Amino acid sequence: MNVRTTFALDEETSRTIKELAVAWGVSQAEAVRRAVRLVKEREQTLAPKTPLAVLKELRAQPIRSRTETIALVRQLRTERRAEDAAREDKLSRKKAR
């Protein structure tokens, strides 16, 4: 069911809606619906989560096996050492100048 609504928009917003409608190949009404939906989804992902919600998300994730954990730790250590070496090299070149 559609609800007809009237809004007073500034020229820039009106122009933006028309541009989006053309770019998306839809009506202006559909462009507004899509834009509102996109903003709502973005707001929901950016909304602060309660500690309980974060804990539930973490618990829902699959648990790594011991082998996977060891491999991940090795990979992270290797990356960290490479970054440390690059940083040391950069500092030594700066000091040499």
Side-chain angles (χ1 to χ4, degrees):
M1 177 174 119
N2 289 330
V3 177
R4 293 199 173 271
T5 307
T6 303
F7 291 99
L9 304 171
D10 58 83
E11 289 181 24
E12 182 183 350
T13 303
S14 177
R15 188 172 40 254
T16 302
I17 291 170
K18 289 175 185 175
E19 290 170 0
L20 288 173
V22 169
W24 293 340
V26 297
S27 68
Q28 290 181 40
E30 179 61 22
V32 170
R33 283 191 288 271
R34 288 183 183 187
V36 168
R37 210 173 301 124
L38 287 169
V39 170
K40 180 180 178 186
E41 289 170 4
R42 182 181 300 153
E43 290 296 318
Q44 287 174 340
T45 59
L46 297 177
K49 298 177 183 173
T50 65
L52 182 58
V54 172
L55 183 59
K56 285 181 180 179
E57 284 181 16
L58 289 172
R59 286 185 174 164
Q61 294 177 0
I63 298 173
R64 282 188 208 97
S65 69
R66 179 173 168 75
T67 305
E68 290 171 324
T69 302
I70 291 170
L72 177 61
V73 168
R74 285 183 181 150
Q75 175 190 348
L76 293 174
R77 282 182 181 153
T78 302
E79 290 173 6
R80 188 177 65 235
R81 287 180 183 137
E83 290 170 359
D84 289 346
R87 191 171 29 260
E88 291 286 329
D89 186 48
K90 187 176 179 180
L91 286 173
S92 64
R93 280 188 270 135
K94 264 188 176 177
K95 289 179 182 178
R97 292 183 194 170

